[in-house]
Amino acid sequence: MPRCLSITPATPWFAGCLLSCAPAPSPAPTGPSSPVAEQVLEPAERVGAADLDGDGNDELVLVQGGVAAWQGQTTPLGGHVQVVARCDLDGDGREALLLGTGVGRGQGQAPARVWVLEQDGAHLAWERPGGRAQITELRCGPAGLWMAVFANEREVEGGWLRSAGGEALAFKAELSVPLGLRQVPTPQGIVVGRLYGDEPRSDGDLALFAGEVRTPLPSHRGVRSLAVAELDGDGAEELIVGDGWHFRYGTDARARLRLLQAPGWQRGRAIAELDGEYTVREVEVVGTGPGAWLLVTGSAQVHRLVRDALGWRDEPLGAVGETGNAVFARQGDREGVLIAGQPARWIPVGQGR
């Protein structure tokens, strides 16, 4: 299965800011004998990372003022970045960075678009004007690239993006769920997390959609983030759920992570509740099996969750704005995290930090 790591949309619905942009080169790779330190980069409202040339080193992409910059290249996106994902689309060992863009502050008329950034440039792969131009999900799955996008003010369509010839992608909706913002394709079906329920301000929920069958899964209030990964070495994937969302998020929301166990994802346990945060905006799984760790973006901080003798240990990495994001990014022989901000930063993690 192609590798893909996905980043959630910024804050409830869409929010952003229109600032100036200055192209930023990727920092030099960090060799084994080089000192490993935090790298301060150019300002970026959103960030992404992908191994564009297949050499094991991630290229860093900074987005500022609606312009993406990487490796001395720039491209205007014509919209606010809502989703960032990385994926080896054709299995050749080289990843692409996928950007889902649409309406946002200062971009009220932008269409919904999917951009593909590769080593030799960027191209517009899909576009749909009109309506509620908001993409909420881009993920690699068993049959390729899955996208979730608003069809109108309430319904969120999910379906596969497949080649339409040349550089274009065609979208065919296979699922439509009211406010089903988070969608993860799995061999068992599509897991859908809702921020809100059918009634205004009601609690959201979690369910597995397999054909015409909808199977409820356990969650607490609204679901803000999802990830699927094999974490215990048995070959079966666990489901990681960032739930606890409430419309009174300043007082009643909880930044909670719950791990649902295979098979069936009907049982599990809470593995983290982040102090000082009101939501888990995104979960990115780095690695597989018992050595995997979780990159968690809260409402104010970026966290690294690693296993210890008591469960999962929280290692705060730094502040992030409510419209910013954070992604895993390998530089040289070191793992690290790229965090959007003014300026953006790459922070090494693990031994020797």
Side-chain angles (χ1 to χ4, degrees):
M1 183 177 77
R3 182 164 73 99
C4 186
L5 304 172
S6 179
I7 309 303
T8 195
T11 67
W13 312 130
F14 37 80
C17 50
L18 187 63
L19 304 173
S20 60
C21 177
S26 298
T30 303
S33 61
S34 303
V36 178
E38 175 180 332
Q39 298 180 27
V40 178
L41 308 171
E42 295 289 334
E45 301 157 355
R46 301 282 277 175
V47 296
D51 185 4
L52 301 181
D53 57 9
D55 67 351
N57 186 60
D58 289 333
E59 284 69 50
L60 309 184
V61 179
L62 307 183
V63 179
Q64 180 79 349
V67 178
W70 76 105
Q71 292 186 304
Q73 302 184 68
T74 62
T75 189
L77 302 173
H80 175 67
V81 175
Q82 299 164 338
V83 186
V84 182
R86 61 192 287 172
C87 193
D88 183 351
L89 294 170
D90 53 13
D92 67 353
R94 294 180 296 178
E95 294 180 326
L97 187 72
L98 307 169
L99 302 177
T101 66
V103 296
R105 188 174 301 170
Q107 302 283 353
Q109 301 302 314
R113 288 171 169 163
V114 174
W115 294 87
V116 178
L117 276 60
E118 298 176 297
Q119 184 180 18
D120 57 356
H123 67 269
L124 179 60
W126 180 85
E127 180 177 18
R128 186 165 73 183
R132 183 171 178 173
Q134 185 184 3
I135 297 172
T136 67
E137 200 77 85
L138 286 171
R139 290 184 186 261
C140 284
L145 180 63
W146 182 271
M147 180 174 72
V149 59
F150 270 91
N152 51 48
E153 286 301 309
R154 285 185 54 82
E155 294 289 326
V156 180
E157 295 179 333
W160 299 106
L161 280 167
R162 295 192 170 96
S163 175
E167 297 180 335
L169 295 174
F171 174 68
K172 181 181 180 181
E174 299 185 13
L175 186 69
S176 182
V177 182
L179 302 179
L181 274 69
R182 303 317 311 262
Q183 301 185 11
V184 181
T186 75
Q188 292 76 36
I190 309 301
V191 179
V192 177
R194 300 203 299 169
L195 202 62
Y196 295 105
D198 293 331
E199 299 300 322
R201 297 183 173 182
S202 61
D203 289 344
D205 51 31
L206 185 68
L208 173 67
F209 289 77
E212 300 297 320
V213 179
R214 177 187 181 277
T215 303
L217 301 177
S219 65
H220 176 67
R221 294 180 171 167
V223 174
R224 189 70 191 278
S225 53
L226 288 173
V228 175
E230 197 279 295
L231 296 176
D232 56 13
D234 65 356
E237 291 184 319
E238 283 71 46
L239 182 61
I240 304 156
V241 184
D243 60 12
W245 178 260
H246 191 275
F247 75 92
R248 290 192 296 266
Y249 57 87
T251 57
D252 294 346
R254 297 169 59 189
R256 191 181 85 148
L257 270 181
R258 183 172 174 84
L259 180 66
L260 301 181
Q261 297 170 325
W265 302 321
Q266 291 292 339
R267 300 180 64 185
R269 62 187 185 275
I271 61 172
E273 186 165 343
L274 304 178
D275 294 335
E277 309 273 20
Y278 62 77
T279 191
V280 175
R281 289 195 281 135
E282 183 57 43
V283 182
E284 183 175 335
V285 182
V286 182
T288 59
W293 56 273
L294 308 180
L295 173 59
V296 178
T297 304
S299 51
Q301 294 280 327
V302 177
H303 306 255
R304 180 175 184 251
L305 295 186
V306 296
R307 284 186 174 93
D308 65 11
L310 298 177
W312 293 82
R313 182 178 72 253
D314 180 10
E315 298 178 354
L317 298 178
V320 65
E322 290 189 346
T323 61
N325 70 313
V327 297
F328 171 77
R330 180 180 292 278
Q331 294 289 281
D333 64 347
R334 289 304 307 273
E335 293 184 346
V337 174
L338 178 62
I339 304 177
Q342 310 294 314
R345 294 160 293 148
W346 179 82
I347 299 173
V349 300
Q351 293 182 352
R353 182 187 168 202

